[in-house]
Amino acid sequence: MVKIKKVVLVTAKHHPYHKMWVKMAEDLSRRVNSELEVKEEDYVYLVEHGDKDEFGMAWAPQILVELDDGRVQWLLSQLPLNEALQPDESKAQEIMLEKIRSLGVEIAASPTEHEGT
């Protein structure tokens, strides 16, 4: 089974949602019981491993994971918006967890996922 070595946040302190991205990365690293590495505007890392536009240009912030089999996969590169067009942190966490599961990483259910069962 594949395991997460670390969660990587590549961010830019001047980004308007910088603190939200840091919080989401911290929450994710706790959720998957993994180390968090924060990189400041490391565009070389993002060009190699992150999400890019049609011209091959990367942007920050992005949240990625490094796996124990050597793969690096980006999880989130844009904030999902709710109906009020505000960033939706819970939807962002859902997107990242789904991508992690699709990579073959097993994630223990969180306490909130057991509610109502």
Side-chain angles (χ1 to χ4, degrees):
M1 179 176 37
V2 181
K3 295 194 183 315
I4 296 173
K5 268 181 28 181
K6 65 181 159 184
V7 173
V8 179
L9 168 64
V10 182
T11 187
K13 286 186 178 171
H14 60 80
H15 190 278
Y17 291 113
H18 167 73
K19 289 181 181 175
M20 180 183 291
W21 281 86
V22 170
K23 180 185 177 301
M24 288 189 308
E26 288 170 345
D27 290 348
L28 180 66
S29 71
R30 274 192 299 274
R31 178 76 171 77
V32 298
N33 194 26
S34 182
E35 166 192 355
L36 171 62
E37 180 179 354
V38 178
K39 298 176 179 271
E40 281 291 318
E41 299 188 57
D42 188 342
Y43 293 101
V44 172
Y45 183 85
L46 287 177
V47 166
E48 289 176 8
H49 305 292
D51 192 11
K52 297 174 275 302
D53 67 14
E54 65 272 18
F55 304 108
M57 299 298 291
W59 58 88
Q62 292 191 40
I63 296 175
L64 306 91
V65 287
E66 293 186 6
L67 305 173
D68 64 358
D69 65 4
R71 288 182 292 163
V72 179
Q73 175 65 48
W74 66 270
L75 301 178
L76 192 69
S77 63
Q78 298 177 31
L79 288 173
L81 303 177
N82 62 21
E83 291 173 8
L85 300 178
Q86 295 299 313
D88 188 336
E89 282 185 67
S90 62
K91 181 66 177 168
Q93 289 292 340
E94 286 176 31
I95 290 167
M96 291 189 290
L97 291 172
E98 186 55 41
K99 282 194 179 175
I100 289 170
R101 288 183 183 105
S102 75
L103 296 170
V105 177
E106 192 172 310
I107 303 169
S110 73
T112 55
E113 290 176 14
H114 290 298
E115 291 176 5
T117 56

